């Protein structure tokens, strides 16, 4: 039986990798994908706790996180498309002012 | 069964590294699909069958197709390093490393690996999830439907020609 801490360690490593990509990458789409990676790391922690505490609520939370992530992806990618139309660039350094 | 978890965990970590290290978004997206599918296998090992299926269908299917579609549409190519991105690397690497060490130490102190007792079998079937969803979580479910409606409207308005 794999102990709970190993699942949590995997979750932590994936979350930190997502955070690292958020800091290091300059392409706005890659940054967005790193956010998805962090959401997935949290989902893994939820499901591991759900299994080891014998409580199904954690899986329901993952269900809602997936739904919110889908909505977030739709709106975020629409924003990226609008941004690209205005700036002709996907580099986050080109979008450092609040005005479009 | 144990060895399967470690293999899948290694695959997901390598693929996640590839997501971060690739400079071309399409390669990052394809690596992210590998991460999502290997996480679905981990969910199966944890007895969350329904969540594994949702992970593959919604995440690896719908969301990542949307990502790849936008990458192709905007013709996102190779990312060029700049002065500021070098600064971010130089400053960000120690912070990220410290964050990783701190989180791992917190996990290790809080949940020691010894005494791995087998937890009771949990029913992660669609029937059990559905019972819980429509008994205890009806209000969040309804609120989520409003969220999706707003997200759809927002996406249409934002992607329109003029806004």
């Amino acid at each position: 039986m794999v102990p709970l801490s190993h699942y949590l360690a995997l979750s932590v490593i994936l979350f930190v990798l997502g955070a690292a990509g958020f800091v290091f990458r300059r392409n706005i789409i890659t940054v967005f994908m790193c956010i998805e990676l962090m959401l997935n790391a949290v989902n893994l922690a939820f499901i591991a706790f759900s299994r080891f505490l014998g409580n199904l609520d954690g899986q329901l939370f993952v269900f809602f996180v997936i739904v919110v992530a889908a909505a977030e992806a739709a709106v975020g990618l629409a924003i990226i498309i609008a941004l690209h139309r205005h700036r002709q660039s996907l580099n986050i350094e080109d979008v450092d002012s609040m005005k479009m | 069964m144990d060895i399967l978890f470690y293999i899948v965990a290694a695959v997901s970590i390598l693929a996640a590294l590839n997501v971060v290290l690739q400079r071309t978004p399409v390669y990052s997206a394809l690596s992210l699909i590998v991460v999502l599918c290997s996480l679905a296998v981990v969910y199966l090992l944890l007895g969350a069958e329904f969540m594994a299926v949702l992970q593959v269908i919604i995440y690896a299917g719908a969301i990542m197709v949307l990502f790849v579609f936008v990458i192709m549409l905007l013709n996102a190519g190779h990312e060029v390093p700049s002065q500021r991105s070098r600064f971010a690397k130089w400053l960000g690497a120690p912070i990220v490393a410290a964050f990783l060490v701190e989180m791992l130490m917190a996990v290790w102190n809080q949940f020691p690996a010894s005494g791995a007792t087998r937890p009771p079998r949990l029913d992660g079937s669609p029937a059990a999830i559905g019972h819980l969803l429509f008994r205890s979580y009806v209000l969040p479910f309804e609120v989520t439907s409003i969220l999706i409606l707003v997200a759809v409207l927002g996406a249409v308005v934002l992607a329109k020609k003029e806004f």
Side-chain angles (χ1 to χ4, degrees), chain B residues 66-159:
Chain B
L66 198 60
F67 267 94
V68 174
F69 189 72
V70 168
I71 291 170
M72 298 294 182
L73 186 70
L74 300 184
N75 206 4
H78 205 73
E79 158 187 336
V80 193
S82 69
Q83 190 63 42
R84 267 199 280 180
S85 75
R86 269 189 285 275
F87 178 69
K89 252 177 217 142
W90 190 77
L91 190 69
I95 295 178
V96 166
F99 184 45
L100 176 65
V101 170
E102 187 187 356
M103 293 281 278
L104 283 178
M105 276 175 63
V107 166
W108 243 251
N109 289 338
Q110 205 58 230
F111 305 97
S114 59
T117 51
R118 183 174 285 272
R121 182 104 188 98
L122 192 63
D123 183 17
S125 66
I129 301 273
H131 270 289
L132 193 60
L133 183 61
F134 293 110
R135 294 256 167 79
S136 315
Y137 288 91
V138 177
L139 185 62
F141 180 77
E142 295 295 338
V143 173
T144 308
S145 65
I146 297 173
L147 172 77
I148 292 177
L149 179 66
V150 172
V152 167
L153 288 177
V156 170
V157 169
L158 281 171

Side-chain angles (χ1 to χ4, degrees), chain A residues 5-24:
Chain A
S5 57
H6 291 189
Y7 289 104
L8 292 181
L10 175 62
S11 165
V12 164
I13 291 171
L14 290 181
F15 188 90
V16 171
L17 281 174
F22 193 87
V23 174
F24 295 150

Side-chain angles (χ1 to χ4, degrees), chain A residues 4 8 44-55 58, chain B residues 46 111:
Chain A
L4 173 61
L8 292 181
L44 174 60
F46 264 129
I47 288 191
F49 275 124
S50 153
R51 173 83 175 91
F52 280 83
L53 299 178
N55 192 338
Chain B
L46 281 166
F111 305 97

